[in-house]
């Protein structure tokens, strides 16, 4: 068995089809089928078969799925540990929702990184719906964002920070100074950041609650860019309350105050329950909910990544 074969099989198990596994791994379906065929031949087991309801796995196929995850995770951890140990450093991989990564992560990472001189941090924006799978597959060490829709016994989830999503417009917007009804809001152009395309999240929930049609939604490369468009009077923006509060106080934006125009949610930190998971991940999960960390997250909006010491490697909108 090779790591490539195991990754192909693990993707098929997780996604439920060869086609989706090929798209996820960015290879052809023929390549996935070849890897599966090689595993079947070597192990002497069919592993799974196709049925009208989807894939049906043999007992051996289910056992391999479990072992494949363990083996691949061990390989990833080994590569990471050898690389960082050779430089005398530790590496902590953080996966975050786009809203948290853009506005809260800068302050948190800067504060946490300064606590350990031998720690490197890698931040990547991930779909919250894939948090549990990414943790289980050892692709990330900690996830921060919306809580899971369905709890996973292999993952420890703890609340980090309460936040509020508000809706704002420019002072020149036709709805400024009034309390719009849900129907009026549905007819507006909504200026949104990338979090709206995720499987779950507060902004997506707010839009669903209001019934805003997709045709009325404009998505920008960042939430800050969407708010800037709102300042120009081009529509309604959904934003983190603490990020737009200064502009509201200065009169650059007007915030609606009706109950249906805002939403309160909680960011959660998720780490593996496995004792072999990096200790720094559990430490960050605990630290993130402290008053000092929360203050840093609220003040950290817009902090330049070059200020982070030790190094923080950032992959945005992956």
């Amino acid at each position: 068995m090779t790591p490539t074969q195991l990754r192909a099989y693990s993707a098929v198990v997780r996604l439920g089809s060869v086609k989706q596994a090929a798209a996820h791994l960015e290879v052809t379906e023929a390549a996935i089928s070849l890897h599966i065929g090689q595993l079947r031949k070597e192990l002497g087991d069919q592993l799974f078969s196709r049925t009208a309801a989807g894939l049906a796995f043999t007992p051996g196929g289910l056992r391999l799925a479990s072992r494949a995850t363990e083996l691949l995770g061990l390989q990833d951890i080994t590569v990471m540990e050898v690389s960082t140990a050779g430089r005398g450093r530790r590496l902590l991989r953080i996966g975050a929702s786009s809203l948290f990564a853009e506005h809260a992560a800068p302050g948190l990472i800067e504060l946490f990184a300064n606590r350990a001189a031998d720690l490197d941090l890698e931040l990547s924006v991930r779909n919250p719906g894939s948090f549990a799978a990414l943790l289980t597959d050892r692709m990330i060490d900690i996830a921060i964002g919306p809580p899971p829709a369905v709890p996973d016994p292999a993952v420890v989830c703890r609340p980090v920070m309460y936040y509020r999503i508000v809706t704002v417009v420019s002072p020149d917007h036709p709805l400024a100074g009034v309390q719009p009804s849900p129907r009026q809001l549905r007819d507006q152009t909504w200026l949104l950041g990338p979090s709206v395309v995720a499987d779950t999240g507060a902004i997506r929930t707010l839009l669903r609650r209001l019934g805003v049609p997709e045709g009325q939604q404009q998505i920008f490369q960042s939430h800050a860019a969407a708010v800037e468009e709102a300042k120009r009077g081009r529509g309604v923006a959904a934003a983190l309350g603490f990020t737009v509060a200064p502009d509201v106080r200065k009169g650059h934006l007007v915030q609606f105050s009706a109950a249906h125009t805002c939403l309160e949610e909680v960011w959660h930190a998720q780490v593996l329950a496995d004792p072999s998971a990096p200790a720094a991940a559990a430490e960050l999960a605990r630290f993130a909910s402290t008053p000092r960390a929360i203050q840093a997250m609220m003040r950290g909006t817009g902090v330049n990544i070059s200020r982070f010491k030790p190094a923080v490697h950032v992959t945005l909108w992956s």
Side-chain angles (χ1 to χ4, degrees), residues 223-264:
H223 300 89
V227 172
E228 286 300 314
E229 288 297 293
K231 289 181 184 178
R232 298 184 178 99
R234 295 174 182 171
V236 179
L240 275 172
F242 67 82
T243 66
V244 296
D247 284 319
V248 172
R249 287 195 297 268
K250 295 173 183 177
H252 299 160
L253 288 170
V254 174
Q255 178 180 321
F256 300 134
S257 57
H260 60 269
T261 63
C262 59
L263 183 68
E264 293 187 353

Side-chain angles (χ1 to χ4, degrees), residues 83 140-141 147 190 231 261 268 308:
S83 175
I140 58 175
D141 303 309
W190 283 75
K231 289 181 184 178
T261 63
H268 285 66
F308 293 161

Side-chain angles (χ1 to χ4, degrees), residues 51-69:
T51 69
L55 300 182
F57 291 87
T58 67
L62 293 175
R63 179 62 61 86
L64 177 61
S66 175
R67 291 301 186 195
T69 299

